Protein backbone atom coordinates (compact mmCIF):
# COMPACT_ATOMS: atom_id res chain seq x y z
CA UNK A 1 0.00 0.00 0.00
CA UNK A 2 1.24 3.47 -0.88
CA UNK A 3 1.31 5.67 2.22
CA UNK A 4 0.62 9.37 1.68
CA UNK A 5 2.09 11.67 4.33
CA UNK A 6 0.97 15.28 4.51
CA UNK A 7 2.74 18.10 6.27
CA UNK A 8 2.15 20.07 8.32
CA UNK A 9 -0.87 18.63 10.12
CA UNK A 10 -2.06 22.17 10.85
CA UNK A 11 -1.08 25.39 9.11
CA UNK A 12 -1.91 28.70 10.74
CA UNK A 13 -2.09 31.50 8.19
CA UNK A 14 -3.50 35.01 8.01
CA UNK A 15 -5.85 36.06 5.20
CA UNK A 16 -3.87 37.33 2.22
CA UNK A 17 -0.82 35.24 3.07
CA UNK A 18 0.61 32.40 1.01
CA UNK A 19 0.09 28.80 2.13
CA UNK A 20 2.22 25.86 1.07
CA UNK A 21 1.04 22.31 1.78
CA UNK A 22 3.14 19.22 1.16
CA UNK A 23 2.41 15.58 0.45
CA UNK A 24 4.89 12.75 0.14
CA UNK A 25 4.18 9.30 -1.30
CA UNK A 26 5.98 6.22 -0.01
CA UNK A 27 6.69 5.23 -3.62
CA UNK A 28 6.29 6.88 -6.99
CA UNK A 29 2.74 7.67 -8.11
CA UNK A 30 3.94 9.53 -11.25
CA UNK A 31 1.31 12.26 -11.72
CA UNK A 32 -1.68 10.12 -10.76
CA UNK A 33 -2.27 12.49 -7.88
CA UNK A 34 -5.02 14.85 -6.73
CA UNK A 35 -5.81 17.42 -4.05
CA UNK A 36 -9.22 17.91 -2.40
CA UNK A 37 -10.64 20.59 -0.12
CA UNK A 38 -13.15 19.74 2.60
CA UNK A 39 -15.04 22.24 4.72
CA UNK A 40 -16.87 21.23 7.93
CA UNK A 41 -20.06 19.31 7.24
CA UNK A 42 -19.43 19.20 3.51
CA UNK A 43 -18.23 16.61 1.02
CA UNK A 44 -14.70 16.87 -0.36
CA UNK A 45 -14.25 19.00 -3.47
CA UNK A 46 -11.70 18.27 -6.20
CA UNK A 47 -9.15 21.07 -6.52
CA UNK A 48 -6.24 19.66 -8.51
CA UNK A 49 -5.81 16.53 -10.63
CA UNK A 50 -2.89 15.13 -12.61
CA UNK A 51 -0.75 16.82 -9.93
CA UNK A 52 -1.02 20.30 -11.43
CA UNK A 53 -4.29 20.76 -13.35
CA UNK A 54 -6.97 22.87 -11.68
CA UNK A 55 -10.45 21.36 -11.68
CA UNK A 56 -13.32 23.26 -13.25
CA UNK A 57 -14.21 26.39 -11.31
CA UNK A 58 -11.18 26.33 -9.02
CA UNK A 59 -9.66 29.80 -8.58
CA UNK A 60 -6.24 30.51 -10.05
CA UNK A 61 -4.79 31.18 -6.58
CA UNK A 62 -4.66 27.39 -6.15
CA UNK A 63 -1.74 25.66 -7.84
CA UNK A 64 -0.28 22.19 -7.67
CA UNK A 65 3.16 20.89 -8.52
CA UNK A 66 5.30 17.80 -8.24
CA UNK A 67 5.58 14.29 -9.58
CA UNK A 68 6.82 10.94 -8.38
CA UNK A 69 6.86 11.14 -4.60
CA UNK A 70 6.83 14.86 -3.72
CA UNK A 71 3.86 17.16 -4.25
CA UNK A 72 2.92 20.67 -3.23
CA UNK A 73 -0.33 22.63 -3.10
CA UNK A 74 0.11 26.38 -2.99
CA UNK A 75 -2.60 28.90 -2.19
CA UNK A 76 -1.12 32.21 -3.28
CA UNK A 77 -3.26 34.57 -1.21
CA UNK A 78 -5.59 32.98 1.30
CA UNK A 79 -9.20 34.05 1.27
CA UNK A 80 -11.63 33.48 4.13
CA UNK A 81 -13.34 30.68 2.21
CA UNK A 82 -10.05 28.76 1.88
CA UNK A 83 -9.84 27.82 5.55
CA UNK A 84 -10.54 24.10 5.40
CA UNK A 85 -8.90 20.68 5.47
CA UNK A 86 -6.93 19.61 2.41
CA UNK A 87 -6.32 16.00 1.42
CA UNK A 88 -3.91 14.54 -1.08
CA UNK A 89 -4.77 11.35 -2.98
CA UNK A 90 -2.88 8.87 -5.12
CA UNK A 91 -4.64 6.84 -7.77
CA UNK A 92 -1.62 5.22 -9.37
CA UNK A 93 -1.96 1.90 -7.59
CA UNK A 94 -4.58 -0.11 -5.71
CA UNK A 95 -5.55 0.36 -2.96
CA UNK A 96 -6.27 4.02 -3.56
CA UNK A 97 -5.00 6.05 -0.62
CA UNK A 98 -5.37 9.50 0.89
CA UNK A 99 -3.15 11.58 3.11
CA UNK A 100 -4.29 12.27 6.66
CA UNK A 101 -5.12 15.89 5.83
CA UNK A 102 -3.73 19.35 6.50
CA UNK A 103 -5.98 21.78 8.34
CA UNK A 104 -5.52 25.37 7.22
CA UNK A 105 -6.68 27.66 10.02
CA UNK A 106 -6.66 31.33 10.75
CA UNK B 1 -28.20 19.53 -12.23
CA UNK B 2 -25.18 17.24 -12.06
CA UNK B 3 -25.31 15.50 -8.70
CA UNK B 4 -25.01 12.34 -6.64
CA UNK B 5 -27.43 11.62 -3.80
CA UNK B 6 -26.73 8.89 -1.26
CA UNK B 7 -29.28 7.19 0.97
CA UNK B 8 -29.68 4.13 3.14
CA UNK B 9 -27.55 5.03 6.12
CA UNK B 10 -28.68 4.59 9.70
CA UNK B 11 -28.09 2.83 13.01
CA UNK B 12 -27.33 -0.88 12.85
CA UNK B 13 -26.19 -3.46 15.38
CA UNK B 14 -22.74 -5.01 15.13
CA UNK B 15 -22.95 -8.00 12.81
CA UNK B 16 -25.88 -6.48 10.97
CA UNK B 17 -26.34 -5.46 7.34
CA UNK B 18 -27.19 -2.31 5.47
CA UNK B 19 -27.53 -1.36 1.81
CA UNK B 20 -26.47 2.07 0.63
CA UNK B 21 -27.70 3.63 -2.60
CA UNK B 22 -26.39 6.48 -4.70
CA UNK B 23 -28.53 7.99 -7.44
CA UNK B 24 -26.85 10.01 -10.17
CA UNK B 25 -28.42 12.74 -12.27
CA UNK B 26 -27.35 15.24 -14.89
CA UNK B 27 -24.71 13.11 -16.59
CA UNK B 28 -24.28 9.83 -18.44
CA UNK B 29 -23.92 7.52 -15.45
CA UNK B 30 -22.97 4.43 -17.44
CA UNK B 31 -19.90 6.20 -18.85
CA UNK B 32 -18.29 6.80 -15.46
CA UNK B 33 -16.48 4.63 -13.00
CA UNK B 34 -17.86 4.98 -9.49
CA UNK B 35 -16.48 4.70 -5.98
CA UNK B 36 -17.42 4.64 -2.31
CA UNK B 37 -15.23 6.60 0.10
CA UNK B 38 -15.88 6.78 3.84
CA UNK B 39 -14.94 9.13 6.65
CA UNK B 40 -15.11 8.09 10.28
CA UNK B 41 -16.16 10.85 12.72
CA UNK B 42 -13.36 13.39 13.04
CA UNK B 43 -11.05 11.35 10.79
CA UNK B 44 -9.70 11.45 7.26
CA UNK B 45 -10.88 9.94 4.01
CA UNK B 46 -10.70 6.19 3.40
CA UNK B 47 -11.29 4.54 0.03
CA UNK B 48 -13.74 1.63 0.30
CA UNK B 49 -14.61 0.21 -3.13
CA UNK B 50 -14.69 1.07 -6.82
CA UNK B 51 -16.41 -0.20 -9.93
CA UNK B 52 -15.07 0.56 -13.38
CA UNK B 53 -17.41 1.67 -16.17
CA UNK B 54 -17.79 -0.68 -19.09
CA UNK B 55 -16.16 -3.92 -17.98
CA UNK B 56 -17.36 -3.52 -14.35
CA UNK B 57 -14.00 -4.40 -12.81
CA UNK B 58 -14.38 -4.25 -9.03
CA UNK B 59 -11.88 -3.28 -6.34
CA UNK B 60 -12.14 -3.41 -2.53
CA UNK B 61 -10.13 -2.16 0.39
CA UNK B 62 -8.78 -5.01 2.49
CA UNK B 63 -10.75 -3.69 5.46
CA UNK B 64 -14.08 -4.47 3.74
CA UNK B 65 -13.21 -7.33 1.40
CA UNK B 66 -15.54 -10.28 1.89
CA UNK B 67 -18.06 -8.16 3.82
CA UNK B 68 -19.06 -5.41 1.39
CA UNK B 69 -20.33 -5.75 -2.19
CA UNK B 70 -20.43 -2.93 -4.72
CA UNK B 71 -22.83 -3.01 -7.64
CA UNK B 72 -24.50 -0.69 -10.11
CA UNK B 73 -27.67 -0.51 -12.19
CA UNK B 74 -27.05 1.72 -15.17
CA UNK B 75 -30.74 1.60 -16.14
CA UNK B 76 -31.53 3.26 -12.80
CA UNK B 77 -28.44 5.52 -12.73
CA UNK B 78 -27.64 3.95 -9.40
CA UNK B 79 -24.67 2.67 -7.42
CA UNK B 80 -25.03 0.41 -4.41
CA UNK B 81 -22.99 -0.82 -1.48
CA UNK B 82 -24.24 -3.91 0.33
CA UNK B 83 -22.59 -3.99 3.74
CA UNK B 84 -22.68 -7.14 5.89
CA UNK B 85 -21.05 -8.27 9.14
CA UNK B 86 -20.78 -4.65 10.15
CA UNK B 87 -18.33 -3.63 12.86
CA UNK B 88 -18.05 -0.59 15.08
CA UNK B 89 -15.09 0.57 13.00
CA UNK B 90 -17.34 0.78 9.92
CA UNK B 91 -19.08 3.76 11.51
CA UNK B 92 -18.59 6.64 9.08
CA UNK B 93 -20.12 8.96 6.56
CA UNK B 94 -20.14 7.09 3.26
CA UNK B 95 -19.66 9.18 0.14
CA UNK B 96 -20.43 8.16 -3.41
CA UNK B 97 -17.97 9.67 -5.90
CA UNK B 98 -17.52 9.79 -9.66
CA UNK B 99 -14.26 9.09 -11.45
CA UNK B 100 -13.56 10.33 -14.99
CA UNK B 101 -12.87 7.74 -17.67
CA UNK B 102 -9.57 5.86 -17.24
CA UNK B 103 -8.59 7.68 -14.05
CA UNK B 104 -9.43 7.24 -10.40
CA UNK B 105 -9.52 10.73 -8.97
CA UNK B 106 -12.98 11.95 -7.99
CA UNK B 107 -14.49 14.97 -9.69
CA UNK B 108 -18.00 14.76 -8.24
CA UNK B 109 -19.06 13.77 -4.73
CA UNK B 110 -22.39 13.23 -3.04
CA UNK B 111 -23.20 14.73 0.35
CA UNK B 112 -22.81 11.39 2.08
CA UNK B 113 -24.91 9.14 4.29
CA UNK B 114 -24.06 8.32 7.90
CA UNK B 115 -23.73 4.71 9.00
CA UNK B 116 -23.52 4.07 12.74
CA UNK B 117 -22.71 0.59 13.98
CA UNK B 118 -23.56 0.30 17.65
CA UNK B 119 -25.61 -1.80 20.03
Amino acid sequence: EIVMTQSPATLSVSPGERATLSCRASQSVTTNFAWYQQKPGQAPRLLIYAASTRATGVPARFSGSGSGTEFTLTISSLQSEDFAVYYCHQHNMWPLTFGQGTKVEI
Amino acid sequence: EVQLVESGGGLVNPGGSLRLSCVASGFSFSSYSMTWVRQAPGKGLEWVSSMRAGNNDIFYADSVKGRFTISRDNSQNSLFLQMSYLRAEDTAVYYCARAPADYWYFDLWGRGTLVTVSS
Side-chain angles (χ1 to χ4, degrees):
Chain A
E1 171 174 320
I2 298 177
V3 176
M4 307 299 287
T5 304
Q6 292 186 238
S7 60
T10 303
L11 186 61
S12 298
V13 190
S14 297
E17 289 187 339
R18 181 186 191 91
T20 302
L21 289 67
S22 297
C23 182
R24 173 177 292 178
S26 61
Q27 63 187 85
S28 177
V29 299
T30 66
T31 55
N32 289 318
F33 180 89
W35 289 100
Y36 302 89
Q37 177 194 66
Q38 187 178 34
K39 297 178 181 179
Q42 296 186 17
R45 169 199 179 196
L46 177 67
L47 291 178
I48 301 287
Y49 64 94
S52 60
T53 303
R54 276 190 302 277
T56 303
V58 174
R61 64 181 180 272
F62 290 91
S63 63
S65 63
S67 66
T69 61
E70 300 284 344
F71 299 89
T72 300
L73 176 69
T74 302
I75 311 172
S76 60
S77 176
L78 270 156
Q79 306 298 302
S80 57
E81 61 267 29
D82 301 336
F83 292 95
V85 179
Y86 293 82
Y87 293 95
C88 63
H89 168 223
Q90 71 80 20
H91 56 96
N92 190 60
M93 189 177 298
W94 302 97
L96 308 182
T97 50
F98 294 89
Q100 80 280 17
T102 290
K103 181 179 181 180
V104 177
E105 64 176 23
I106 300 175
Chain B
E1 181 184 0
V2 176
Q3 63 177 356
L4 299 168
V5 179
E6 302 94 336
S7 62
L11 176 63
V12 60
N13 290 325
S17 299
L18 212 54
R19 189 191 197 212
L20 305 184
S21 300
C22 169
V23 177
S25 58
F27 65 95
S28 177
F29 178 74
S30 61
S31 299
Y32 287 85
S33 299
M34 298 296 296
T35 287
W36 290 98
V37 174
R38 69 185 180 184
Q39 186 170 37
K43 303 297 184 182
L45 302 173
E46 180 188 13
W47 169 73
V48 173
S49 181
S50 297
M51 192 167 192
R52 195 190 303 272
N55 64 9
N56 289 338
D57 281 346
I58 287 174
F59 307 89
Y60 294 104
D62 284 347
S63 59
V64 306
K65 198 174 294 182
R67 301 188 298 123
F68 290 12
T69 302
I70 191 172
S71 62
R72 65 192 295 164
D73 182 344
N74 290 337
S75 69
Q76 298 293 321
N77 292 334
S78 295
L79 179 74
F80 306 101
L81 187 67
Q82 177 68 46
M83 304 186 296
S84 302
Y85 305 105
L86 283 160
R87 307 166 180 165
E89 55 265 36
D90 296 319
T91 294
V93 173
Y94 284 73
Y95 295 103
C96 167
R98 182 183 81 173
D102 298 329
Y103 293 97
W104 289 102
Y105 62 87
F106 309 122
D107 65 350
L108 179 68
W109 296 68
R111 292 188 174 185
T113 187
L114 175 62
V115 172
T116 303
V117 184
S118 175
S119 55

